[in-house]
Short mmCIF file of all heavy atoms in Angstrom, two decimals:
data_model
loop_
_atom_site.label_atom_id
_atom_site.label_comp_id
_atom_site.label_asym_id
_atom_site.label_seq_id
_atom_site.Cartn_x
_atom_site.Cartn_y
_atom_site.Cartn_z
N ASP A 34 12.52 23.21 -30.92
CA ASP A 34 11.37 22.31 -30.75
C ASP A 34 11.56 21.27 -29.64
O ASP A 34 10.64 20.55 -29.31
CB ASP A 34 11.00 21.56 -32.04
CG ASP A 34 10.29 22.48 -32.99
OD1 ASP A 34 10.03 23.64 -32.61
OD2 ASP A 34 10.00 22.04 -34.12
N THR A 36 11.33 19.93 -26.02
CA THR A 36 10.44 20.39 -24.93
C THR A 36 11.27 20.95 -23.80
O THR A 36 12.15 20.27 -23.27
CB THR A 36 9.58 19.24 -24.44
OG1 THR A 36 8.78 18.81 -25.56
CG2 THR A 36 8.65 19.69 -23.33
N THR A 39 6.81 21.69 -19.17
CA THR A 39 5.41 21.32 -19.40
C THR A 39 4.54 22.09 -18.40
O THR A 39 4.90 22.19 -17.21
CB THR A 39 5.19 19.82 -19.20
OG1 THR A 39 6.10 19.12 -20.02
CG2 THR A 39 3.77 19.40 -19.57
N SER A 46 -2.78 20.10 -20.63
CA SER A 46 -1.34 20.12 -20.45
C SER A 46 -0.70 20.69 -21.71
O SER A 46 -1.23 20.48 -22.82
CB SER A 46 -0.79 18.74 -20.23
OG SER A 46 -1.35 18.15 -19.10
N MET A 47 0.39 21.42 -21.59
CA MET A 47 1.05 21.99 -22.75
C MET A 47 2.55 21.83 -22.59
O MET A 47 3.09 22.15 -21.53
CB MET A 47 0.81 23.50 -22.87
CG MET A 47 -0.59 23.90 -23.03
SD MET A 47 -0.75 25.63 -22.60
CE MET A 47 -1.81 25.51 -21.20
N GLU A 48 3.20 21.31 -23.61
CA GLU A 48 4.64 21.29 -23.60
C GLU A 48 5.13 22.56 -24.28
O GLU A 48 4.62 22.91 -25.37
CB GLU A 48 5.17 20.07 -24.37
CG GLU A 48 4.95 18.79 -23.59
CD GLU A 48 5.44 17.56 -24.35
OE1 GLU A 48 5.98 17.72 -25.49
OE2 GLU A 48 5.28 16.45 -23.81
N VAL A 115 4.06 25.28 -32.74
CA VAL A 115 4.93 24.10 -32.72
C VAL A 115 4.84 23.39 -31.38
O VAL A 115 5.51 22.42 -31.16
CB VAL A 115 6.41 24.49 -33.00
CG1 VAL A 115 6.62 24.85 -34.43
CG2 VAL A 115 6.87 25.58 -32.05
N ALA A 116 4.01 23.94 -30.48
CA ALA A 116 3.88 23.27 -29.16
C ALA A 116 3.00 22.04 -29.30
O ALA A 116 2.09 22.00 -30.11
CB ALA A 116 3.24 24.25 -28.19
N LYS A 117 3.29 21.05 -28.46
CA LYS A 117 2.48 19.83 -28.46
C LYS A 117 1.46 19.96 -27.35
O LYS A 117 1.78 20.25 -26.23
CB LYS A 117 3.36 18.62 -28.22
CG LYS A 117 4.54 18.52 -29.16
CD LYS A 117 5.40 17.34 -28.76
CE LYS A 117 6.75 17.38 -29.46
NZ LYS A 117 7.74 18.13 -28.71
N ILE A 118 0.20 19.73 -27.68
CA ILE A 118 -0.86 19.89 -26.71
C ILE A 118 -1.70 18.64 -26.69
O ILE A 118 -1.96 18.04 -27.71
CB ILE A 118 -1.76 21.07 -27.12
CG1 ILE A 118 -0.94 22.34 -27.04
CG2 ILE A 118 -3.00 21.10 -26.26
CD1 ILE A 118 -1.51 23.43 -26.19
N GLU A 119 -2.10 18.24 -25.52
CA GLU A 119 -3.02 17.11 -25.44
C GLU A 119 -4.11 17.42 -24.43
O GLU A 119 -3.92 18.17 -23.50
CB GLU A 119 -2.27 15.87 -24.99
CG GLU A 119 -1.23 15.45 -26.01
CD GLU A 119 -1.33 14.01 -26.40
OE1 GLU A 119 -2.33 13.36 -26.04
OE2 GLU A 119 -0.39 13.57 -27.07
N THR A 120 -5.26 16.82 -24.65
CA THR A 120 -6.37 17.03 -23.76
C THR A 120 -6.17 16.33 -22.44
O THR A 120 -5.65 15.23 -22.38
CB THR A 120 -7.64 16.40 -24.41
OG1 THR A 120 -7.74 17.00 -25.68
CG2 THR A 120 -8.87 16.66 -23.59
N ASP A 135 12.97 10.75 -16.82
CA ASP A 135 12.26 10.38 -18.03
C ASP A 135 12.12 11.61 -18.99
O ASP A 135 11.40 11.54 -19.95
CB ASP A 135 10.88 9.79 -17.71
CG ASP A 135 10.00 10.77 -17.00
OD1 ASP A 135 10.39 11.92 -16.85
OD2 ASP A 135 8.89 10.36 -16.59
N ALA A 136 12.87 12.67 -18.70
CA ALA A 136 12.70 13.88 -19.50
C ALA A 136 12.98 13.62 -20.98
O ALA A 136 12.34 14.21 -21.83
CB ALA A 136 13.61 14.96 -18.96
N ALA A 137 13.95 12.73 -21.25
CA ALA A 137 14.34 12.52 -22.64
C ALA A 137 13.36 11.62 -23.38
O ALA A 137 13.47 11.45 -24.57
CB ALA A 137 15.72 11.91 -22.67
N LEU A 138 12.41 11.00 -22.65
CA LEU A 138 11.49 10.09 -23.30
C LEU A 138 10.47 10.84 -24.13
O LEU A 138 10.13 11.97 -23.84
CB LEU A 138 10.76 9.27 -22.25
CG LEU A 138 11.65 8.28 -21.48
CD1 LEU A 138 10.94 7.79 -20.26
CD2 LEU A 138 11.97 7.14 -22.41
N TYR A 139 10.00 10.16 -25.18
CA TYR A 139 9.04 10.79 -26.05
C TYR A 139 7.64 10.34 -25.60
O TYR A 139 7.21 9.22 -25.87
CB TYR A 139 9.37 10.36 -27.49
CG TYR A 139 8.75 11.26 -28.52
CD1 TYR A 139 8.47 12.60 -28.25
CD2 TYR A 139 8.46 10.78 -29.81
CE1 TYR A 139 7.92 13.43 -29.23
CE2 TYR A 139 7.94 11.59 -30.78
CZ TYR A 139 7.66 12.89 -30.49
OH TYR A 139 7.09 13.71 -31.43
N ALA A 140 6.97 11.17 -24.87
CA ALA A 140 5.62 10.85 -24.40
C ALA A 140 4.87 12.16 -24.23
O ALA A 140 5.44 13.16 -23.80
CB ALA A 140 5.68 10.11 -23.08
N SER A 141 3.63 12.13 -24.58
CA SER A 141 2.82 13.36 -24.52
C SER A 141 2.49 13.69 -23.06
O SER A 141 2.58 12.84 -22.19
CB SER A 141 1.54 13.14 -25.30
OG SER A 141 0.74 12.20 -24.57
N PRO A 142 2.08 14.93 -22.80
CA PRO A 142 1.73 15.30 -21.44
C PRO A 142 0.66 14.42 -20.84
O PRO A 142 0.71 14.06 -19.68
CB PRO A 142 1.25 16.73 -21.56
CG PRO A 142 1.91 17.25 -22.81
CD PRO A 142 2.03 16.07 -23.71
N ILE A 143 -0.31 14.04 -21.65
CA ILE A 143 -1.39 13.22 -21.08
C ILE A 143 -0.89 11.83 -20.70
O ILE A 143 -1.32 11.26 -19.71
CB ILE A 143 -2.59 13.13 -22.06
CG1 ILE A 143 -3.80 12.68 -21.26
CG2 ILE A 143 -2.35 12.23 -23.22
CD1 ILE A 143 -5.11 13.03 -21.92
N VAL A 144 0.06 11.33 -21.47
CA VAL A 144 0.64 10.01 -21.12
C VAL A 144 1.50 10.16 -19.87
O VAL A 144 1.47 9.31 -18.98
CB VAL A 144 1.44 9.44 -22.32
CG1 VAL A 144 2.23 8.24 -21.91
CG2 VAL A 144 0.50 9.09 -23.46
N ARG A 145 2.21 11.26 -19.76
CA ARG A 145 3.02 11.50 -18.59
C ARG A 145 2.11 11.62 -17.34
O ARG A 145 2.43 11.16 -16.26
CB ARG A 145 3.87 12.78 -18.74
CG ARG A 145 5.02 12.58 -19.69
CD ARG A 145 5.74 13.89 -19.93
NE ARG A 145 6.70 13.77 -21.01
CZ ARG A 145 7.95 13.34 -20.87
NH1 ARG A 145 8.40 13.06 -19.68
NH2 ARG A 145 8.76 13.24 -21.89
N ARG A 146 1.03 12.30 -17.54
CA ARG A 146 0.08 12.45 -16.42
C ARG A 146 -0.46 11.09 -16.01
O ARG A 146 -0.52 10.76 -14.82
CB ARG A 146 -1.09 13.34 -16.83
CG ARG A 146 -2.23 13.25 -15.85
CD ARG A 146 -3.45 13.95 -16.33
NE ARG A 146 -3.31 15.36 -16.01
CZ ARG A 146 -4.34 16.12 -15.72
NH1 ARG A 146 -5.54 15.67 -15.74
NH2 ARG A 146 -4.18 17.41 -15.43
N LEU A 155 8.33 6.07 -16.30
CA LEU A 155 8.28 5.94 -17.76
C LEU A 155 9.54 5.36 -18.36
O LEU A 155 9.51 4.80 -19.47
CB LEU A 155 7.98 7.30 -18.40
CG LEU A 155 6.48 7.70 -18.40
CD1 LEU A 155 6.34 9.06 -19.04
CD2 LEU A 155 5.64 6.68 -19.15
N VAL A 158 9.05 1.84 -19.37
CA VAL A 158 8.01 1.49 -20.34
C VAL A 158 8.62 1.57 -21.76
O VAL A 158 9.29 2.51 -22.12
CB VAL A 158 6.82 2.47 -20.24
CG1 VAL A 158 5.70 2.10 -21.21
CG2 VAL A 158 6.29 2.48 -18.80
N THR A 159 8.30 0.54 -22.56
CA THR A 159 8.75 0.52 -23.93
C THR A 159 7.68 1.17 -24.81
O THR A 159 6.52 0.75 -24.77
CB THR A 159 8.98 -0.93 -24.42
OG1 THR A 159 9.80 -1.56 -23.43
CG2 THR A 159 9.64 -1.00 -25.76
N GLY A 160 8.11 2.16 -25.58
CA GLY A 160 7.15 2.85 -26.47
C GLY A 160 6.91 2.07 -27.73
O GLY A 160 7.86 1.61 -28.37
N SER A 161 5.67 1.90 -28.11
CA SER A 161 5.36 1.11 -29.31
C SER A 161 4.94 1.97 -30.49
O SER A 161 4.79 1.51 -31.60
CB SER A 161 4.23 0.11 -28.99
OG SER A 161 3.05 0.82 -28.69
N ALA A 162 4.76 3.28 -30.23
CA ALA A 162 4.30 4.13 -31.31
C ALA A 162 5.48 4.62 -32.14
O ALA A 162 6.63 4.21 -31.91
CB ALA A 162 3.53 5.32 -30.73
N HIS A 163 5.20 5.45 -33.11
CA HIS A 163 6.20 5.94 -34.05
C HIS A 163 7.46 6.46 -33.31
O HIS A 163 7.33 7.23 -32.36
CB HIS A 163 5.56 7.05 -34.88
CG HIS A 163 6.44 7.60 -35.97
ND1 HIS A 163 7.00 6.77 -36.93
CD2 HIS A 163 6.89 8.83 -36.20
CE1 HIS A 163 7.74 7.53 -37.74
NE2 HIS A 163 7.69 8.77 -37.33
N LYS A 164 8.62 6.08 -33.74
CA LYS A 164 9.91 6.52 -33.18
C LYS A 164 10.01 6.21 -31.66
O LYS A 164 10.62 6.97 -30.90
CB LYS A 164 10.13 8.02 -33.40
CG LYS A 164 10.45 8.38 -34.83
CD LYS A 164 10.78 9.85 -34.91
CE LYS A 164 11.18 10.25 -36.32
NZ LYS A 164 11.32 11.68 -36.46
N GLY A 165 9.33 5.15 -31.24
CA GLY A 165 9.43 4.75 -29.84
C GLY A 165 8.62 5.59 -28.88
O GLY A 165 8.80 5.53 -27.65
N ARG A 166 7.71 6.39 -29.41
CA ARG A 166 6.87 7.22 -28.54
C ARG A 166 6.02 6.33 -27.62
O ARG A 166 5.48 5.34 -28.05
CB ARG A 166 5.97 8.09 -29.43
CG ARG A 166 5.16 9.13 -28.65
CD ARG A 166 4.25 9.86 -29.65
NE ARG A 166 3.39 10.79 -28.94
CZ ARG A 166 3.68 12.08 -28.77
NH1 ARG A 166 4.79 12.59 -29.28
NH2 ARG A 166 2.84 12.86 -28.10
N ILE A 167 5.92 6.74 -26.37
CA ILE A 167 5.12 5.93 -25.42
C ILE A 167 3.68 6.39 -25.49
O ILE A 167 3.39 7.59 -25.31
CB ILE A 167 5.69 6.11 -24.00
CG1 ILE A 167 7.14 5.60 -23.95
CG2 ILE A 167 4.84 5.36 -22.99
CD1 ILE A 167 7.85 5.91 -22.65
N SER A 168 2.81 5.45 -25.74
CA SER A 168 1.38 5.79 -25.85
C SER A 168 0.67 5.47 -24.54
O SER A 168 1.21 4.80 -23.64
CB SER A 168 0.76 4.98 -26.99
OG SER A 168 0.73 3.63 -26.62
N ARG A 169 -0.56 5.90 -24.47
CA ARG A 169 -1.42 5.59 -23.32
C ARG A 169 -1.58 4.07 -23.17
O ARG A 169 -1.50 3.54 -22.06
CB ARG A 169 -2.78 6.25 -23.67
CG ARG A 169 -3.86 6.00 -22.68
CD ARG A 169 -5.13 6.61 -23.24
NE ARG A 169 -5.34 7.90 -22.69
CZ ARG A 169 -6.04 8.14 -21.57
NH1 ARG A 169 -6.54 7.16 -20.90
NH2 ARG A 169 -6.19 9.34 -21.11
N ASP A 170 -1.71 3.36 -24.30
CA ASP A 170 -1.83 1.90 -24.26
C ASP A 170 -0.59 1.25 -23.67
O ASP A 170 -0.67 0.27 -22.93
CB ASP A 170 -2.03 1.34 -25.68
CG ASP A 170 -3.48 1.51 -26.13
OD1 ASP A 170 -4.30 1.90 -25.29
OD2 ASP A 170 -3.76 1.27 -27.32
N ASP A 171 0.57 1.83 -24.02
CA ASP A 171 1.84 1.27 -23.49
C ASP A 171 1.85 1.33 -21.96
O ASP A 171 2.26 0.41 -21.27
CB ASP A 171 3.05 2.03 -24.02
CG ASP A 171 3.22 1.83 -25.53
OD1 ASP A 171 2.81 0.79 -26.03
OD2 ASP A 171 3.75 2.76 -26.19
N VAL A 172 1.41 2.48 -21.42
CA VAL A 172 1.40 2.65 -19.96
C VAL A 172 0.41 1.67 -19.33
O VAL A 172 0.70 0.98 -18.35
CB VAL A 172 1.06 4.10 -19.56
CG1 VAL A 172 0.92 4.21 -18.03
CG2 VAL A 172 2.13 5.04 -20.05
N GLN A 173 -0.79 1.58 -19.94
CA GLN A 173 -1.82 0.68 -19.40
C GLN A 173 -1.32 -0.77 -19.42
O GLN A 173 -1.52 -1.53 -18.49
CB GLN A 173 -3.13 0.85 -20.18
CG GLN A 173 -3.86 2.11 -19.78
CD GLN A 173 -4.99 2.43 -20.66
OE1 GLN A 173 -5.12 1.94 -21.78
NE2 GLN A 173 -5.90 3.29 -20.18
#
Side-chain angles (χ1 to χ4, degrees):
D34 285 355
T36 300
T39 306
S46 300
M47 298 162 244
E48 288 179 1
V115 287
K117 306 176 193 89
I118 295 234
E119 297 231 10
T120 305
D135 62 6
L138 292 165
Y139 199 27
S141 68
I143 198 159
V144 170
R145 287 174 189 272
R146 165 188 277 212
L155 278 179
V158 181
T159 309
S161 65
H163 184 57
K164 288 187 178 171
R166 187 183 176 94
I167 299 171
S168 69
R169 177 185 262 272
D170 281 352
D171 294 332
V172 174
Q173 283 170 341

